[in-house]
């Protein structure tokens, strides 16, 4: 996002709280969007107010995040990550990608199923709170990884740099009400709501 940070707005949720049932329950969606994401957004705005960061583009800030306060890293990451997360899900989601994205996945991972296996593994084995990602690297190839806390592959501190095109929130707040400690069940359910048209649009934009 090239938008200056002080011009960012809190995004609309593109569907109703109960739209992703039964895979993601309505109460989790409501709390996650209206409280967790809202808090990251409000805290980001408060952290950049009256600083040089306010006029920077959001992408530029994330790409240079090591120079800025931890509150900006955590809340800026939180805002970016959740904004992406809501959009890569849809009540009409699921299935498999098509077109250029499908071809790129087969080229990199051999098959959709092998990419899925790597992604599931990244999501399940991230210890504590974090995210799993499918990203486009600088050489335009795809990669799967996970990150701690609210970090993401755009950040200069990331161990797996790239432009994220698909992300899964594996913080307990994303699944605990419905799945309790069974993170693998939540990770499996995610595939039923992925909006592949959006992920493919993200892929094309990243090239
Ligand atoms: Mn979250």
């Amino acid at each position: 996002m090239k938008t200056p940070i002080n011009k960012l707005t809190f995004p609309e949720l593109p569907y109703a709280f109960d739209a992703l049932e039964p895979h993601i329950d309505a109460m989790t969606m409501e709390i996650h969007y209206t409280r967790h994401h809202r808090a990251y957004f409000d805290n980001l705005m408060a952290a950049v107010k009256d600083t040089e960061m306010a006029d920077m583009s959001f992408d530029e800030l994330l790409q240079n995040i090591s120079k800025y306060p931890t509150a900006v890293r955590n809340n800026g990451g939180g805002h970016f990550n959740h904004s992406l997360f809501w959009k890569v899900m849809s009540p009409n989601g699921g299935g498999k990608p098509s077109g250029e994205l499908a071809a790129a996945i087969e080229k990199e991972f051999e098959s959709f199923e092998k990419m899925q296996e790597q992604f599931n593994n990244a999501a399940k084995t991230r210890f504590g709170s974090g995210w799993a990602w499918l990203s486009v690297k600088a050489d335009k190839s795809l990669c799967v990884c996970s990150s701690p806390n609210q970090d993401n592959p755009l950040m200069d501190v990331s161990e797996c740099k790239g432009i994220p095109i698909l992300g899964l929130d594996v913080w307990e707040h994303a699944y605990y009400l419905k799945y309790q400690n069974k993170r693998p069940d939540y990770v499996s359910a995610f595939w039923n709501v992925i909006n592949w048209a959006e992920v493919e649009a993200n892929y094309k934009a990243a090239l």
Side-chain angles (χ1 to χ4, degrees), residues 32 36-37 40 78 82 85-86 131 150 169-171 173-174:
H32 201 175
H36 292 274
H37 186 181
Y40 295 123
H82 289 87
F85 185 48
W86 310 135
W131 289 74
Q150 294 295 353
D169 190 341
V170 297
W171 285 55
H173 70 225

Side-chain angles (χ1 to χ4, degrees), residues 135-138 140 162-165 200-207:
S135 306
V136 178
K137 294 194 288 188
K140 309 295 181 197
I163 298 173
I165 61 171
E200 185 169 10
N202 292 342
Y203 173 67
K204 287 178 176 167
L207 292 179

Side-chain angles (χ1 to χ4, degrees), residues 9-199:
T9 53
F10 189 63
E12 295 280 322
L13 190 69
Y15 35 75
F17 295 133
D18 64 357
L20 304 181
E21 293 262 13
H23 310 293
I24 299 182
D25 63 285
M27 184 170 282
T28 296
M29 279 301 304
E30 181 170 0
I31 295 170
H32 201 175
Y33 171 74
T34 64
R35 300 196 213 162
H36 292 274
H37 186 181
R38 185 81 219 188
Y40 295 123
F41 180 79
D42 291 345
N43 291 338
L44 172 66
M45 292 302 153
V48 303
K49 194 168 188 285
D50 301 327
T51 73
E52 53 155 353
M53 294 176 279
D55 298 312
M56 288 175 68
S57 84
F58 195 27
D59 280 0
E60 191 190 348
L61 179 83
L62 295 173
Q63 286 159 4
N64 296 284
I65 202 71
S66 61
K67 298 178 192 161
Y68 297 101
T70 307
V72 176
R73 176 172 169 178
N74 291 339
N75 292 295
H79 175 55
F80 180 93
N81 299 348
H82 289 87
S83 299
L84 177 76
F85 185 48
W86 310 135
K87 290 178 72 178
V88 297
M89 296 189 291
S90 160
N92 305 309
K96 292 183 181 185
S98 59
E100 285 177 45
L101 176 60
I105 288 171
E106 277 165 35
K107 187 176 172 208
E108 188 62 39
F109 302 95
E110 220 171 289
S111 66
F112 173 76
E113 288 72 22
K114 286 192 174 165
M115 181 278 290
Q116 193 175 30
E117 194 182 316
Q118 276 193 34
F119 189 96
N120 285 342
N121 198 40
K124 291 176 199 171
T125 59
R126 165 53 53 187
F127 184 75
S129 297
W131 289 74
W133 304 103
L134 176 65
S135 306
V136 178
K137 294 194 288 188
D139 68 3
K140 309 295 181 197
S141 65
L142 292 170
C143 68
V144 162
C145 68
S146 71
S147 62
N149 305 315
Q150 294 295 353
D151 287 358
N152 67 49
L154 284 178
M155 294 179 174
D156 59 357
V157 293
S158 177
E159 286 170 19
C160 59
K161 285 185 205 51
I163 298 173
I165 61 171
L166 174 68
L168 174 60
D169 190 341
V170 297
W171 285 55
E172 281 189 345
H173 70 225
Y175 63 86
Y176 203 83
L177 293 179
K178 181 176 173 74
Y179 296 97
Q180 296 84 46
N181 61 323
K182 295 171 286 189
R183 187 194 290 183
D185 291 356
Y186 161 71
V187 172
S188 299
F190 176 59
W191 297 94
N192 296 310
V193 295
I194 296 179
N195 179 353
W196 286 110
E198 179 70 18
V199 181

